[in-house]
Amino acid sequence: MAKQLKLQGGLFLLVALSSLCFNFQCSCSEIIFEERFEDGWKSRWVQSDWKRSEGKAGYFKHAAGKWHGDPDDKGIQTSSDAKHFAISAKIPEFSNKNRTLVLQYSVRFEQEIECGGGYIKLMSGFVNQKKFSGDTPYSLMFGPDICGTDTKKLHVILSYQGQNYPIKKDLQCETDKLTHFYTFILRPDATYSVLVDNRERDSGSMYTDWDILPPRKIKAVDAKKPADWDMREYIDDPNDIKPEGYDSIPKEIPDPKAKKPADWDEDESGLWRAPKVPNPVYKGPWRRKRVKNPNYKGKWKTPWIDNPEFEDDPDLYVLKPIKYVGIEVWQVKAGSVFDNILICDEPEYAKKVAEEVFANREAEKEAFEEAEKKRKAQEEEEAQRAREEGEKRRRERGHDRRYRDRHRDKYRKHRDWDDYDHDEL
């Protein structure tokens, strides 16, 4: 009994410590900005007038979209085809120095986008939000960019000392018409992760995956393979000796099973000799056995050396203090829904946000499938109507042609009679 009480007390202490650690972790994490586009969102966001005087600016509308998991879960949706869209929000200024940066948002391409972006930007310094445009400097640009069947790119562009650097990897985005979460995590050790729908799509380091700094190591182009570098993995066994009489073994021998035909006439055909057959004892030219080379050093490769031009920057990962978040895209076909924008320093919280929204994932799929059924049915109805209209026009043309033919025959008949009467006169 005492042992059981002791065990229960230990479990209680463990649970208490776990809870304490969790609360401590939560208290240390910070949600810098979170936007679900609920009531009051217009007070936080400013739509830019960029391209408006040229008639090329589109508007974001507050909408849940054509299909959704929850009709009350609205985002902002691009609403005009072949337009530029630009909207931004000012956020509490923050720096990611000595902390993890997490940028996450969701986007749904309901339209046949054909060509257009669906990315998000973080800006530093002062931004005139009414003039926010594609030329506005940014510190981070992240998200999908689609154009035709060839471009399905997932951008990750970082700004360093005033210059933009795209990631060197070819990251692919999602292209279907459902909601997808895009998450970028940048850590103080300059490592990063890219997640799509809470699954890691890629990861690496700013030192290797962006051409921001010169590489730490370079190949020693002047290096030469040492003269004594042995690249032979196997060699002839120096201790192997050719058996005595090996070279005298014939390649072929008379067939021991052959018999001289009973009607063989040596006077006419000569001395009978058994035909030759391969000698089963013959093993071909003698060669020494192959054995592992004890001096084998492997394939020689040009060595890597420290790059004299490399100068480390321990703050490589640090962006300029962030003050704004914005969406600036151009789309041939509008209809993209942006939502669930999150900037924080805790990847676990971002994960929970995505899980919460995806709780309605099945409802969204069902709504999409139902919308697709209606769309296909409407297209078939329109196609049938077009076929019927075409058939009607063909029938009408046929009727007109028969009428013209009868009229022409009647005219020709009268003309022939006129000619006949004229001849008689």
Side-chain angles (χ1 to χ4, degrees), residues 243-312:
E244 187 176 350
Y246 187 93
D247 291 338
S248 63
I249 299 174
K251 187 176 182 179
E252 295 181 325
I253 60 173
D255 186 354
K257 296 181 180 180
K259 293 182 180 180
K260 184 174 74 171
D263 59 349
W264 184 269
D265 189 338
E266 291 187 354
D267 291 336
E268 291 185 3
S269 304
L271 183 65
W272 181 83
R273 289 182 176 84
K276 297 282 188 176
V277 294
N279 185 358
V281 180
Y282 179 74
K283 303 298 181 183
W286 184 81
R287 294 184 178 87
R288 294 180 186 273
K289 295 178 184 177
R290 302 285 287 175
V291 294
K292 282 276 189 179
N293 181 3
N295 299 320
Y296 174 66
K297 294 184 179 181
K299 184 179 179 181
W300 187 80
K301 297 178 182 179
T302 305
W304 292 85
I305 59 174
D306 290 336
N307 183 358
E309 296 182 3
F310 174 77
E311 185 177 344
D312 193 13

Side-chain angles (χ1 to χ4, degrees), residues 48-60:
S48 175
D49 289 331
W50 179 51
K51 296 286 186 180
R52 202 162 306 287
S53 61
E54 305 170 36
K56 298 179 180 179
Y59 281 99
F60 285 93

Side-chain angles (χ1 to χ4, degrees), residues 409 411-421 423:
D409 293 343
Y411 170 76
R412 287 175 177 173
K413 187 176 181 181
H414 283 294
R415 188 185 63 183
D416 292 343
W417 277 106
D418 289 344
D419 292 343
Y420 174 76
D421 294 339
D423 291 342

Side-chain angles (χ1 to χ4, degrees), residues 357-370:
V357 174
F358 276 158
N360 296 320
R361 182 72 162 177
E362 289 305 316
E364 180 184 321
K365 287 182 179 179
E366 291 173 3
F368 169 68
E369 291 169 358
E370 185 62 28

